[in-house]
Amino acid sequence: PVEISLSYVNEAGSRVALGFITDITERKRAEEQLRHTQKLESLGVLAGGVAHDFNNLLTGVMGNASLALDALNPAHPARMFLENILSSSQRAAELTQQLLAYAGKGRFVVSPIDLTAVVREMCNLIHASIPKSVDLRLGLAEKLPPFEGDASQIQQLVMNLVINAAEAIPEGTSGSVSVVTRAQQVDEGLLRSLRAEAAIAPGEYVCLEVNDTGCGMDEATEARMFDPFFTTKFTGRGLGLAAVSGIVRGHRGALKVHSTPGRGTSFKVLFPAAVRDCTAAPAKTGVELAGSGLVLVVDDETVVRQTARAALERYGYSVLTAEDGQSGVEIYREMAHRVSVVLLDLTMPGISGEETLRRLQAVKPDVRVVLSSGYHQSEAVRRFPGRGLAGFIQKPYTAAQLAERIKAALQ
């Protein structure tokens, strides 16, 4: 693409056309990148908002179903139906995780990750998730450098890429999907060929490659493959690759895709290597969930307040509720000497969660507050830096999960 500018000048009594031809390739590329970034930001805000509101509704479904299940004896015929409700609710919660991942609000438990170990642990699940006609080939490097990330998000990324690759192989035909891990040095030349939403620097990276021998993509499909809800499959949701894009963005990584119609597709994901060794997280031990004390629940959603009250009373707590930050602060001002912990919603109309926390701390600086949100903990930490929170619980949650988090805050 070029820009042509023409003008006429008088030269020795004659009119002469003077022309300038400017190469605008870089300007076009920058404009397209800006439009793409703005589209991602708009869709990210939409996806994050939908996920947050849906998680509020799921809190009522999962909380009440878990309470009803606890109240029934093991032989009751209704137990199977309640277990189905909980199972379906969990699948719906996983769907909102993909929306949050696309919105860049999905990373919440950061630790050093060994990519080879993650893929190896998922082998059985991967084999069970793809057709038997697809040959899965693994090329996993040993002693990879770790990278900082959230293990569950990386597992989701691997599953989405492998399932997407397997589904690219036409039904009724055989094909293969290869999953490769390795360390890779990234230089300036390779950086220019990568898809990255934020600036990344040359250096050592951990690489995941997923290649398939499927139908490949044409240019039009490749241009839209990371858009939420875009899918070429009859039964697809169109969230798999959108979630992959969000996870990579949230981990400060980069992507490279190469596809040829009729010859398959290759996805390469790069994560910046960390300097410290991977260490296994300590195993979680069982805890006694029953407790005592007065809990103040501040949430604008009626179903969440009712569910939290029923759940906490089920485990021995007394409960007060407030429908917004203002009434929550007023109740706490009168009952601060008795309230053991406050369960505070992050996003409320009127007085925000941040302002409510500030006012609660003005009443009693050492108030114990457990933050509750449909977003992940990373979003809460970003909005509440250095505020001395006693804990965090993400919606949706079961009655037992809420009781466990409240007891941990009291201890």
Side-chain angles (χ1 to χ4, degrees), residues 253-295:
L255 273 164
K256 184 175 183 179
V257 183
H258 177 74
S259 186
T260 303
R263 299 183 62 181
T265 302
S266 172
F267 281 87
K268 176 187 286 187
V269 183
L270 294 165
F271 298 108
V275 294
R276 55 189 173 130
D277 294 333
C278 288
T279 54
K284 188 175 181 179
T285 56
V287 294
E288 173 58 44
L289 299 181
S292 62
L294 180 62
V295 180

Side-chain angles (χ1 to χ4, degrees), residues 224-282:
R224 297 190 60 194
M225 62 182 167
F226 292 111
D227 290 355
F229 308 111
F230 173 75
T231 180
T232 59
K233 307 177 185 73
F234 179 71
T235 58
R237 291 193 303 248
L239 285 173
L241 292 182
V244 165
S245 175
I247 293 169
V248 172
R249 184 165 65 249
H251 285 75
R252 306 183 309 281
L255 273 164
K256 184 175 183 179
V257 183
H258 177 74
S259 186
T260 303
R263 299 183 62 181
T265 302
S266 172
F267 281 87
K268 176 187 286 187
V269 183
L270 294 165
F271 298 108
V275 294
R276 55 189 173 130
D277 294 333
C278 288
T279 54

